[in-house]
Amino acid sequence: MKNSTNHSIKLDAMNEPDWKIIRDDFPILRLTVDGKPLVYLDNAASSQMPQQVIDRLVRYQTSEHANVNRAVHYLSEVATLEFHRARCKLQQFVNAAEDREIIFTSGTTDAINLVMHGYGRKFIKEGDEIILTTLEHHSNIVPWQMLANEKGAKIRVVPINDKGELEIDEYEKLFNERTKFVGLIHVSNALGTINPIKRMIDYAHQYSVPVLIDGAQAAPHLIIDVQALDCDFYVFSAHKLCGPTGVGMLYGKATLLEAMQPFKGGGDMIMSVTFEKTIYNTIPHKFEAGTPPIAAAIGFGAAIDYLTAIGIERIAAYEAELLDYATELLNDMPGVRIIGTAANKTAVISFAIDGIHPHDIGTILNQDGIAVRTGHHCAQPVMQRFNVPATSRASFAFYNKKSEIDALVAGIKTVQKVFL
Amino acid sequence: MHTNSLYQEVILDHNRKPRNYGKLEHASHHATGHNPLCGDRLDISLQVDERDQINAIAFQGESCAICKASASMMTSAVKGKSRLDAETLINEFRDLATGKLDINSPNHLGRLTVFSGIRDLPTRVKCAVLPWHTLHAALNSLENASTEADHDPVPVVSNNT
Ligand SMILES: Cc1ncc(COP(=O)(O)O)c(C=O)c1O
């Protein structure tokens, strides 16, 4: 099998039978749970992997594996080349100007921590202010809190309205001469809200403030163009894009990455080491200490190939249809309330059922093979804003089908019956 | 097991009409339990007399049906019991929930065995056990209980109200 991602995909934009072909690429979707077909609606937590990516991982492990950037032997050269190719695929995927602007990390969280240590600890000082939003995932809150505590800096928070949209006027009012950094979630994992990041980046740049975009929930559903956005950092994880766990990426503008201090020390990130002095390697290597997740990075590249072969726009259009369908059905259900009703959303529906705790909802839905996420979604400030401890969240991917949404609706009715 | 057998009428009933719900005015012991997984919290207040008997107990908080029913049934079960008997129940209930207890061997759980099915739902064990962790914390003057202490059945912090 040479290029397994290019099974001829012919999709008429929204014709469901065509999407069934796609669904067949995902062996895990054939599972049954307690005798019921698996209905996987927890894609915002982690997506599933198509056979093409699985095959790529197997091919790497069976015929290409060695350590990278080190030896001169055959396998090391192959592995180094394939690892580099994966970087270039990511570069293209986000339209970065140069491949050295792509850093492999262990995931979104790791990438944000890298920026906190590499940029934040070097450039942010006492009295400085960092702007975050209410919608942030904990991974884009806690590192900045740690930094703020260490430096005596201050965190300012952009509020949201009742629909779960950022209040842009308030965001703009937060800026002053002490503002030194903005951390901004592109798409809310808890609510699905798509934020107007271009406009927000432009505003921050009027104050010469760099902006980090947490794209964990955006990259699987939207076209990302870091040059058009002019963001300073953009981060996401492979496992939400049909790729493996354990790898993610940081895009950073080369000038910024060069000015930053390294995050982790070790092999590969050095040019030369004596006990007196170490000279750091150039980017991206400066930020990739130790043996990187080579297999996972190559799988990441294969996942990007797979998604781009289908086409992100087409994925987005189909998922929008699933979202509309599900929103309409859930809105019609008595006792069911959708939390997060932004005008611009990805296919994520957080909901509450009157008088029933999300954990009980999740357990009873699971009985029908339906996988939803229940909890605070690592976004407790969002939960606090809506005055709920937790929600249930159905999040759709392009391999979901309308009949699965019907199953969700039937499952919710069962839940309501149990608690009648 | 099937989830249906977990959401039995007894449990649903205690969820709908929790017994001993609220807060005691003059508590001798108090603790708050947290389930970090879902953000649930549970307050337990107790009046323990000089003979170490639990004269009154109440709970309140935000929680799922499993947790609330467990708390409701627990408070009914330990009210009027000695502290030592309550500790025995706590241990037996924890073993029941984690599948370590053989239901057929002698125990003091009575109707609380409706929770036996929880052992097949590892993600929900914490919900059922939280009230018991919290009671243990209160009796032992520990301020906060957390379901994260699962591996080590004794929760951490302390206090008396
Ligand atoms: C918006 C957002 N940011 C960050 C993360 C953290 O990603 P990871 O756990 O892969 O580091 C997630 C994952 O849940 C997310 O949805």
Side-chain angles (χ1 to χ4, degrees):
Chain A
M1 167 207 30
K2 289 246 34 157
N3 187 353
S4 53
T5 42
N6 105 55
H7 80 94
S8 57
I9 300 165
K10 292 199 202 80
L11 292 172
D12 279 331
M14 249 129 303
N15 195 349
E16 215 178 300
D18 293 333
W19 290 94
K20 287 213 179 85
I21 307 169
I22 296 286
R23 190 175 169 90
D24 287 341
D25 289 338
F26 293 80
I28 206 167
L29 300 178
R30 287 171 225 144
L31 278 185
T32 55
V33 179
D34 257 354
K36 308 270 174 55
L38 169 69
V39 176
Y40 189 75
L41 304 180
D42 194 17
N43 296 288
S46 203
S47 55
Q48 299 299 347
M49 189 183 281
Q51 190 63 50
Q52 289 84 342
V53 178
I54 298 170
D55 287 345
R56 185 65 191 90
L57 292 172
V58 171
R59 176 151 64 96
Y60 171 74
Q61 280 321 151
T62 42
S63 62
E64 298 172 348
H65 173 68
N67 212 327
V68 291
N69 304 328
R70 287 181 167 83
V72 293
H73 59 74
Y74 167 75
L75 278 179
S76 181
E77 276 176 2
V78 177
T80 303
L81 178 66
E82 291 302 323
F83 183 62
H84 178 68
R85 277 196 179 143
R87 195 187 307 277
C88 295
K89 285 173 187 181
L90 283 163
Q91 178 204 345
Q92 280 185 5
F93 186 65
V94 301
N95 193 34
E98 303 176 61
D99 59 47
R100 65 192 182 117
E101 294 180 313
I102 306 294
I103 317 285
F104 281 113
T105 66
S106 75
T108 305
T109 305
D110 188 40
I112 295 170
N113 277 277
L114 190 164
V115 176
M116 186 279 266
H117 284 272
Y119 183 90
R121 292 184 86 188
K122 184 164 177 187
F123 296 111
I124 290 175
K125 311 223 148 43
E126 187 175 351
D128 287 350
E129 295 184 0
I130 298 164
I131 296 180
L132 304 174
T133 83
T134 306
L135 291 175
E136 299 314 307
H137 185 280
H138 294 168
S139 64
N140 203 21
I141 300 175
V142 183
W144 303 111
Q145 257 168 357
M146 292 162 89
L147 180 72
N149 288 341
E150 176 185 317
K151 298 286 187 182
K154 198 168 157 195
I155 302 220
R156 310 289 306 268
V157 183
V158 185
I160 53 176
N161 65 21
D162 290 340
K163 292 174 159 177
E165 298 165 325
L166 291 178
E167 295 189 17
I168 304 299
D169 295 352
E170 297 302 316
Y171 165 73
E172 296 184 350
K173 280 188 214 148
L174 289 177
F175 280 85
N176 60 52
E177 65 289 349
R178 293 180 304 278
T179 310
K180 291 293 151 57
F181 199 82
V182 173
L184 179 53
I185 193 167
H186 193 169
V187 172
S188 158
N189 62 307
L191 307 178
T193 313
I194 302 173
N195 293 318
I197 60 167
K198 172 66 184 147
R199 179 179 159 191
M200 296 173 78
I201 293 164
D202 288 348
Y203 194 85
H205 285 174
Q206 289 176 25
Y207 287 79
S208 305
V209 173
V211 182
L212 175 144
I213 304 293
D214 171 357
Q217 297 293 340
H221 312 285
L222 305 174
I223 288 183
I224 309 300
D225 182 336
V226 293
Q227 292 187 77
L229 287 170
D230 197 28
C231 58
D232 301 279
F233 302 101
Y234 198 99
V235 300
F236 57 92
S237 305
H239 70 95
K240 294 185 199 281
L241 282 125
C242 304
T245 55
V247 70
M249 64 141 256
L250 160 67
Y251 157 81
K253 284 181 181 163
T255 46
L256 281 171
L257 292 174
E258 277 169 343
M260 281 157 63
Q261 62 188 16
F263 172 29
K264 297 167 185 166
D268 273 343
M269 54 78 72
I270 52 89
M271 202 74 95
S272 72
V273 177
T274 65
F275 277 102
E276 286 67 43
K277 187 173 173 57
T278 290
I279 299 173
Y280 301 132
N281 207 336
T282 50
I283 60 167
H285 310 291
K286 181 168 109 180
F287 294 106
E288 293 181 356
T291 301
I294 309 165
I298 290 169
F300 197 175
I304 296 293
D305 283 345
Y306 179 82
L307 293 175
T308 43
I310 299 174
I312 296 284
E313 281 128 324
R314 212 146 38 165
I315 286 174
Y318 177 66
E319 288 174 346
E321 216 187 54
L322 292 177
L323 176 68
D324 288 347
Y325 184 72
T327 304
E328 207 166 295
L329 288 179
L330 262 63
N331 271 336
D332 282 346
M333 297 188 78
V336 177
R337 178 167 60 106
I338 294 178
I339 296 175
T341 48
N344 209 359
K345 269 182 76 167
T346 58
V348 168
I349 299 189
S350 249
F351 60 95
I353 306 180
D354 287 349
I356 310 177
H357 190 282
H359 262 175
D360 299 314
I361 297 169
T363 296
I364 296 170
L365 288 177
N366 178 58
Q367 183 184 317
D368 289 333
I370 302 166
V372 297
R373 171 83 187 272
T374 55
H376 53 58
H377 318 293
C378 297
Q380 284 182 331
V382 178
M383 301 295 112
Q384 287 148 14
R385 171 63 174 73
F386 287 98
N387 240 320
V388 289
T391 69
S392 305
R393 180 188 69 189
S395 52
F396 310 105
F398 56 92
Y399 44 70
N400 286 125
K401 40 188 186 175
K402 287 186 180 167
S403 62
E404 293 181 301
I405 295 169
D406 297 335
L408 173 67
V409 169
I412 292 174
K413 285 183 184 152
T414 306
V415 172
Q416 288 175 317
K417 225 176 281 162
V418 170
F419 283 90
L420 206 64
Chain B
M1 86 127 204
H2 224 259
T3 325
N4 277 337
S5 63
L6 178 61
Y7 289 93
Q8 286 178 34
E9 197 42 46
V10 193
I11 289 179
L12 294 171
D13 179 61
H14 276 268
N15 175 54
R16 267 192 297 266
K17 291 175 289 183
R19 325 292 198 264
N20 307 304
Y21 194 83
K23 194 169 180 171
L24 294 184
E25 284 280 303
H26 306 287
S28 59
H29 295 70
H30 171 265
T32 301
H34 296 272
N35 184 347
L37 196 66
C38 53
D40 283 358
R41 55 172 283 158
L42 195 79
D43 286 307
I44 289 187
S45 46
L46 292 159
Q47 265 169 34
V48 182
D49 67 17
E50 57 289 347
R51 294 183 344 259
D52 252 4
Q53 183 150 322
I54 300 170
N55 283 335
I57 179 166
F59 82 98
Q60 64 182 15
E62 189 69 49
S63 72
C64 64
I66 300 300
C67 182
K68 197 186 272 179
S70 175
S72 171
M73 293 177 73
M74 175 188 81
T75 52
S76 306
V78 302
K79 204 195 251 175
K81 292 229 163 56
S82 73
R83 184 189 185 120
L84 207 65
D85 286 347
E87 290 288 359
T88 305
L89 271 180
I90 291 170
N91 287 328
E92 287 184 0
F93 189 88
R94 278 184 195 160
D95 287 349
L96 173 84
T98 51
K100 285 188 216 131
L101 183 90
D102 174 4
I103 304 186
N104 300 315
S105 67
N107 64 63
H108 309 80
L109 292 169
R111 299 225 302 164
L112 287 163
T113 54
V114 291
F115 285 98
S116 64
I118 202 87
R119 64 169 178 260
D120 296 323
L121 295 170
T123 53
R124 304 303 305 279
V125 170
K126 291 176 176 190
C127 309
V129 168
L130 180 63
W132 300 83
H133 270 167
T134 311
L135 174 62
H136 176 82
L139 286 172
N140 293 278
S141 305
L142 306 170
E143 190 163 285
N144 278 296
S146 162
T147 54
E148 291 309 273
D150 262 354
H151 304 294
D152 160 20
V154 186
V156 231
V157 201
S158 82
N159 136 284
N160 264 5
T161 313

